[in-house]
Amino acid sequence: MPRSMTGFGRAQGVLAGRQISCEIRAVNSRNLDAKIRLPGSLQVLEGKLSDQVRSRLHRGRIDVTLDEQVIAGEGKPLSIDTGLAEHYLREFVDLANSLHLKVDPDKLFGLVVGQRDVVKLPRFEVSEAVAAQVTEIVARALDDLDRVRTVEGEHLAADLRQRLETIASHLGAIREAKPETVQGLRERIQKRLDELRMDLKLDEARLVQEIVYWTDRADITEEIVRLESHLAKARGLLDGKEPCGRKLDFLIQEMYREFNTIGSKAQNTSVAHLVVEMKSEIERIREQVQNLE
């Protein structure tokens, strides 16, 4: 089932006296671009988690953020760097005085303790058991993301199927108009040649060859057959289980090229109008396909 590239997933769990939360945000991108943000205590898992994410996702810009919070009453106490806190306090007070500003003590305290390395979470060794628990939390966040992207992908696939059926219907109308198109070209060539006969002596066999040549050039049978094949392939991709965004994007480009050829070959007003409509429909499909993984 096609999946959208856009979505959000979240999961959390408790391990080693702290709560680990994982949030994953995904948006459209031509390729897979995954970024992992980890707290210092889990940095050693960056490569492992990156491989885990890349094994599940194929396209999109992916932001994975893990956060940790010590649970009250659990684990070792926090580590506070008093000297660093005093340094920040002096600097902030001096700055406020130089600017003639009054500083609220509570806000000043919050500003100081919020500085990097003033308050440190207790570090713990990332054992194999801890690593397994963290990857399990990330796996659940990926499952949550997958559910969201699958639902959106189903909506996109339904819209694309409807648009493909519209193209198939108009392609049928173009096929029906094909004999009329070729006959019209024959008649125009014959009329022009009849006019030339008044002044020139023309070889009849050569005239027949020219008519065959130009009517063959106007024949759009091959383009129609290829378009029908592309439509069948696109339907199959939408019904499959594998990511199909890239392949659909390529097929849509090929379909646009075939309609361009039909438009240049078929000197028929009704066919020309259908080609314009179909090229507009293909552009809309192209926009939707950019949202699929």
Side-chain angles (χ1 to χ4, degrees), residues 81-118:
D81 191 330
T82 305
L84 184 60
E86 291 175 348
H87 169 74
Y88 279 124
L89 179 61
R90 287 194 300 270
E91 293 296 325
F92 291 146
V93 169
D94 289 345
L95 178 61
N97 290 336
S98 65
L99 298 175
H100 306 290
L101 298 174
K102 293 183 179 180
V103 181
D104 182 280
D106 291 336
K107 292 182 178 180
L108 183 59
F109 175 78
L111 184 62
V112 170
V113 299
Q115 300 306 304
R116 184 175 180 177
D117 293 333
V118 172

Side-chain angles (χ1 to χ4, degrees), residues 119-139:
V119 179
K120 299 179 181 179
L121 292 174
R123 297 188 65 83
F124 67 100
E125 182 180 352
V126 181
S127 63
E128 290 186 6
V130 168
Q133 286 179 283
V134 172
T135 55
E136 190 273 335
I137 292 170
V138 174

Side-chain angles (χ1 to χ4, degrees), residues 109-230:
F109 175 78
L111 184 62
V112 170
V113 299
Q115 300 306 304
R116 184 175 180 177
D117 293 333
V118 172
V119 179
K120 299 179 181 179
L121 292 174
R123 297 188 65 83
F124 67 100
E125 182 180 352
V126 181
S127 63
E128 290 186 6
V130 168
Q133 286 179 283
V134 172
T135 55
E136 190 273 335
I137 292 170
V138 174
R140 287 193 284 111
L142 286 167
D143 290 341
D144 193 35
L145 172 67
D146 189 59
R147 283 191 290 271
V148 173
R149 301 207 319 170
T150 298
V151 170
E152 179 62 23
E154 289 174 352
H155 293 311
L156 288 172
D159 179 73
L160 289 171
R161 288 190 187 96
Q162 184 177 357
R163 295 186 185 280
L164 290 174
E165 289 308 313
T166 298
I167 290 176
S169 174
H170 284 65
L171 188 59
I174 290 174
R175 180 186 283 277
E176 292 177 3
K178 183 170 70 73
E180 175 188 339
T181 300
V182 175
Q183 181 60 30
L185 180 59
R186 283 197 181 108
E187 291 174 356
R188 286 195 297 273
I189 293 174
Q190 188 64 59
K191 181 180 178 181
R192 183 59 177 158
L193 291 175
D194 289 342
E195 293 173 353
L196 291 173
R197 279 198 185 95
M198 293 185 297
D199 301 316
L200 300 173
K201 292 183 179 181
L202 301 175
D203 180 72
E204 291 296 328
R206 179 61 178 169
L207 292 179
V208 172
Q209 289 178 0
E210 288 298 317
I211 291 175
V212 170
Y213 172 76
W214 288 107
T215 52
D216 282 346
R217 287 198 62 180
D219 189 12
I220 56 176
T221 301
E222 291 184 7
E223 287 74 21
I224 292 174
V225 170
R226 282 194 291 267
L227 279 165
E228 289 173 339
S229 175
H230 293 333

Side-chain angles (χ1 to χ4, degrees), residues 33 40 63 66 76 103 112 114 146 177 212 228-229 248 265 283:
D33 179 17
D63 289 314
L66 272 76
K76 298 178 182 179
V103 181
V112 170
D146 189 59
V212 170
E228 289 173 339
S229 175
L248 280 173
K265 278 187 173 184
E283 285 296 340

